[in-house]
Amino acid sequence: SYAVTVQESYAHPFDQIYYTRCTDILNWFKCTRHRISYKTAYRRGLRTMYRRRSQCCPGYYESGDYCIPLCTEECVHGRCVSPDTCHCEPGWGGTDCSSG
């Protein structure tokens, strides 16, 4: 997981004043009223994001974006094709391709 700064919107409350007709003769039959209204505002926030991370199986090691098989003994005349398994060049044999 990792955190990212984002700009997010939210409903910001504010006091809205309005007038209604009423029986108050001193204020010309006009009375003040209040109500809570909301307007869109913006703020910075942190959002947690996730990314998938691969893991190599036992007997393999990570090299860049690839999982490479690991041979305990070096493949002398061949290449490692799976954990502790060498694929020998023609004319060579043995577990590490060293027998001619």
Side-chain angles (χ1 to χ4, degrees), residues 15-34:
D15 183 25
Q16 185 178 29
I17 299 171
Y18 65 100
Y19 302 96
T20 61
R21 294 179 76 57
C22 63
T23 58
D24 188 356
I25 195 166
L26 297 175
N27 284 319
W28 301 95
F29 303 105
K30 193 166 74 172
C31 292
T32 303
R33 299 281 186 247
H34 297 267

Side-chain angles (χ1 to χ4, degrees), residues 19-62:
Y19 302 96
T20 61
R21 294 179 76 57
C22 63
T23 58
D24 188 356
I25 195 166
L26 297 175
N27 284 319
W28 301 95
F29 303 105
K30 193 166 74 172
C31 292
T32 303
R33 299 281 186 247
H34 297 267
R35 70 175 153 224
I36 300 296
S37 291
Y38 296 89
K39 63 182 174 182
T40 302
Y42 296 91
R43 63 183 169 208
R44 286 187 179 205
L46 284 178
R47 180 168 293 155
T48 302
M49 305 294 282
Y50 299 91
R51 75 182 85 155
R52 178 175 240 134
R53 171 114 168 90
S54 298
Q55 185 175 0
C56 294
C57 296
Y60 292 81
Y61 66 94
E62 188 175 340

Side-chain angles (χ1 to χ4, degrees), residues 56-57 59-71 80-83:
C56 294
C57 296
Y60 292 81
Y61 66 94
E62 188 175 340
S63 177
D65 290 337
Y66 300 100
C67 291
I68 309 296
L70 179 64
C71 288
C80 188
V81 291
S82 65

